[in-house]
Amino acid sequence: MEELNRINEKIGDETNLVRVNPQEKTGYPAGALIVVEGIDGSGKSTQLHLLDAWLRHLGVLVYDTGWNSSELVKEITSKGKRKALLTPTTFSLLHATDFADRYERNVYPLLRAGYFVLADRYIYTAYARDTVRGCNPRWVRKMYDFAIRPSLTFYFDVPIDIAVKRIMIGRPKLKYYEAGMDLNLSTDIYESYRIFQSRIMEQYRRMARKENFLVMDATLDIEEQQKKMRRAILPLLRPEVAALASEELVQ
Amino acid sequence: MNPLTNKVRGLMDIKRSKDGSQIRFYGDGIPYLKRTKLKGKLIVIEGPDGSGRSSQVELIKNKLESDGHAVTTTGLKRSELIGAGVLAAKQKLPVGQKTLALFYAADFADRLEHHIIPSLEAGSIVIADRYIYTLMARSVVRGISRKWTNDLFGFAIVPDQIFYLDVSPDKLFHRIFQKYSALDYYEAGADMGLADDLFDSFIIYQRRIAREFRRMEKLYGLVAIDANRTMSEVNNDLQTRISSYLNASKI
């Protein structure tokens, strides 16, 4: 630590890798970054899908992005996963690589061009997972420092039992890393999954205030949650679109 | 100081060297490895291609082994997990700078955790044919912030000795031409659009890299070795410094 402080002092506060605010950089109207976060089975993807349909219906330019979807490191992570060779640090760095590729290639340019980028998981997934796996939380946050902050982050909070139940119905076969088996939490994969997910949830809850999460009660009706999300998004839309959209919301 | 204290202290020293010394990270480090004791020593040889780096690593290895030390060598691009992927990513050109920086960091982390640290734990002298400094210099000359790069490598361990083989660019290209008759695309910084032709690009790029290394001499304690001299002169210089260090630390 002393070493780092000493070096950083000498380097000074250089920011050529700034968190650029698109609005400020050029005259182009910037888009908005909307993020959903939450553990598996919190219903966040369903909500994002509905939001996507609504925005497209309103004529808004939309781009959808997820977590771990780029081709670049997919091969390596799956190879590493098979052999269980990944350490928490390499796992974290590979996901960061993957994220950076999506970010540099799609997310950031599309935001600059005025798109509404809808992200199913964003840097907070890495904050939560990597911390639970044993990486230094401060190191993880610095690594993702280049990523622009979302316009809105919806966090879907749900009791662990409900989430696990939802997952178990649809997809009973769990993968090694997905269940957090690398953490030796339990020899039983389902029990391991449950403990792992509850630890991730703890991390989400801990960062909710600092990261300005809009906390959603994910036990509510799907329609009710969606209405709340749409209302929250209204201020981000162009005035004429917002007027149209709010009329529809009232009906 | 009474003789008894001296004796006790002597015993403690022996005990400490048996257990090895506490692992030291540059920055935030790897929390799950913080209790690791390293018995060996980490010696880093940095320098551009054509500086005679790999030959020096080989000569030092032979000498240290003939002196009875266990020696392990490691280089960049040698990680079992990611190594091949790094090359594939390079060929797939449109990859962003942050993506590439993170990818190399992942590759390095894999080597650090699976090769360097275990060898040091076992008491081996590890000679690293390049380390984080080359990776940092390459990123920084391509526009990535020094602070972010420094923070990123906060998981790296601090070496015991770091040497930089310093060669003037004109010596460098003659050596490269004598060996390969061609300049390497990346070692010439040809991806950066610095000049119309490869030769000018090489000169500009190598000057920038060299400037970055000079900066790092102060920050990270790199020792510059004049590598304009003959191979055996350079080797004598390196060997003297390494031997006197190892003697002083009683290995």
Side-chain angles (χ1 to χ4, degrees):
Chain A
M1 233 12 252
E2 293 145 42
E3 201 75 29
L4 179 81
N5 290 337
R6 188 178 62 78
I7 291 164
N8 270 344
E9 232 165 69
K10 286 190 189 168
I11 291 174
D13 193 31
E14 243 185 305
T15 42
N16 61 19
L17 193 103
V18 279
R19 258 175 250 161
V20 195
N21 181 354
Q23 284 96 323
E24 287 167 8
K25 222 183 169 186
T26 61
Y28 292 106
L33 173 60
I34 294 157
V35 172
V36 295
E37 287 277 6
I39 59 171
D40 298 346
S42 62
K44 61 184 182 322
S45 305
T46 307
Q47 291 298 336
L48 196 66
H49 174 71
L50 293 172
L51 199 64
D52 175 73
W54 178 61
L55 289 169
R56 285 180 197 274
H57 160 75
L58 291 171
V60 175
L61 293 168
V62 177
Y63 175 76
D64 293 292
T65 184
W67 193 252
N68 203 17
S69 56
S70 109
E71 287 299 315
L72 184 70
V73 286
K74 205 181 258 177
E75 204 187 319
I76 294 160
T77 41
S78 56
K79 184 187 163 199
K81 278 176 181 176
R82 269 202 305 278
K83 291 186 175 175
L85 278 173
L86 298 173
T87 69
T89 305
T90 51
F91 198 79
S92 168
L93 283 162
L94 283 174
H95 279 98
T97 307
D98 202 51
F99 173 83
D101 190 39
R102 281 194 304 277
Y103 186 81
E104 292 189 292
R105 196 186 296 276
N106 308 120
V107 174
Y108 185 72
L110 281 153
L111 276 174
R112 293 290 303 278
Y115 278 72
F116 267 57
V117 175
L118 306 184
D120 189 344
R121 298 185 176 279
Y122 196 59
I123 55 175
Y124 311 109
T125 288
Y127 289 5
R129 284 188 188 165
D130 293 349
T131 303
V132 169
R133 282 217 152 79
C135 292
N136 185 309
R138 196 172 34 201
W139 175 72
V140 177
R141 280 158 174 77
K142 284 179 198 161
M143 183 160 63
Y144 284 97
D145 207 19
F146 62 87
I148 193 166
R149 302 295 114 166
S151 317
L152 262 177
T153 305
F154 295 97
Y155 165 60
F156 292 81
D157 195 64
V158 62
I160 188 78
D161 292 318
I162 294 178
V164 171
K165 210 166 151 191
R166 282 177 184 167
I167 289 297
M168 291 311 162
I169 294 165
R171 188 183 42 166
K173 190 121 180 139
L174 294 171
K175 290 177 195 146
Y176 183 83
Y177 282 98
E178 185 185 26
M181 289 297 279
D182 54 320
L183 293 171
N184 297 317
L185 300 168
S186 168
T187 47
D188 176 55
I189 193 161
Y190 295 103
E191 185 54 22
S192 170
Y193 177 75
R194 191 193 163 79
I195 301 169
F196 185 51
Q197 292 295 319
S198 53
R199 289 197 183 169
I200 287 172
M201 190 159 78
E202 196 186 307
Q203 289 297 322
Y204 274 131
R205 285 180 174 171
R206 209 180 275 184
M207 70 178 102
R209 188 193 289 264
K210 190 168 181 256
E211 305 293 350
N212 279 320
F213 287 171
L214 208 153
V215 181
M216 302 288 292
D217 179 351
T219 60
L220 296 176
D221 288 346
I222 289 175
E223 294 82 359
E224 206 172 326
Q225 291 182 57
Q226 185 60 210
K227 254 191 185 155
K228 195 180 168 191
M229 285 177 83
R230 291 181 183 185
R231 274 194 215 104
I233 280 164
L234 281 180
L236 298 174
L237 300 170
R238 286 204 315 273
E240 63 275 21
V241 179
L244 180 77
S246 64
E247 263 173 48
E248 283 186 10
L249 272 182
V250 174
Q251 282 166 13
Chain B
M1 206 177 280
N2 69 53
L4 189 67
T5 322
N6 262 338
K7 200 177 174 189
V8 170
R9 184 163 295 178
L11 285 171
M12 278 170 67
D13 277 346
I14 290 163
K15 192 166 180 289
R16 197 183 300 149
S17 64
K18 245 186 196 168
D19 288 349
S21 55
Q22 196 66 41
I23 196 163
R24 274 175 71 222
F25 295 104
Y26 264 120
D28 294 321
I30 303 176
Y32 54 89
L33 294 179
K34 69 180 176 209
R35 273 182 246 289
T36 309
K37 303 268 198 221
L38 305 180
K39 282 191 244 174
K41 297 286 176 197
L42 175 58
I43 297 167
V44 173
I45 314 283
E46 284 278 2
D49 283 359
S51 63
R53 198 188 59 240
S54 301
S55 311
Q56 292 298 341
V57 168
E58 222 27 58
L59 290 170
I60 294 163
K61 177 179 191 275
N62 294 342
K63 173 70 168 68
L64 292 178
E65 281 181 341
S66 77
D67 289 349
H69 298 291
V71 182
T72 307
T73 58
T74 180
L76 296 179
K77 280 192 293 194
R78 275 190 210 164
S79 128
E80 198 188 316
L81 176 64
I82 304 158
V86 169
L87 294 175
K90 258 193 180 178
Q91 281 150 13
K92 201 173 147 193
L93 270 177
V95 171
Q97 291 306 334
K98 272 159 273 185
T99 307
L100 211 52
L102 286 161
F103 204 9
Y104 278 114
D107 184 57
F108 169 77
D110 189 53
R111 208 155 2 90
L112 181 74
E113 286 186 82
H114 285 125
H115 193 195
I116 299 177
I117 291 175
S119 302
L120 290 171
E121 272 187 284
S124 197
I125 295 174
V126 175
I127 308 172
D129 183 344
R130 296 183 296 187
Y131 197 62
I132 59 171
Y133 315 103
T134 288
L135 300 177
M136 294 199 290
R138 282 180 188 164
S139 288
V140 170
V141 300
R142 287 175 171 81
I144 303 275
S145 115
R146 286 192 188 90
K147 185 174 184 313
W148 184 77
T149 311
N150 182 60
D151 287 339
L152 175 63
F153 285 103
F155 67 86
I157 60 173
V158 181
D160 296 285
Q161 283 193 302
I162 316 160
F163 299 107
Y164 171 60
L165 302 182
D166 197 6
V167 190
S168 63
D170 55 330
K171 268 253 162 60
L172 207 56
F173 65 67
H174 278 308
R175 283 186 191 172
I176 293 169
F177 281 140
Q178 273 161 28
K179 204 169 170 189
Y180 305 104
S181 307
L183 298 168
D184 180 79
Y185 186 85
Y186 286 96
E187 287 285 306
D191 56 316
M192 292 170 67
L194 297 170
D196 286 345
D197 65 274
L198 205 55
F199 186 79
D200 281 347
S201 181
F202 176 85
I203 299 291
I204 299 169
Y205 181 73
Q206 290 298 332
R207 276 195 191 133
R208 289 193 187 175
I209 291 279
R211 197 165 59 208
E212 213 40 53
F213 267 99
R214 266 195 296 284
R215 192 187 260 269
M216 285 193 285
E217 280 173 28
K218 295 187 199 88
L219 290 173
Y220 302 96
L222 271 69
V223 175
I225 301 291
D226 177 6
N228 295 306
R229 298 172 290 172
T230 66
M231 193 189 285
S232 66
E233 281 173 327
V234 175
N235 188 244
N236 283 338
D237 192 351
L238 284 171
Q239 201 59 64
T240 309
R241 290 168 193 265
I242 292 168
S243 297
S244 67
Y245 173 78
L246 293 179
N247 286 337
S249 48
K250 290 186 190 110
I251 272 205

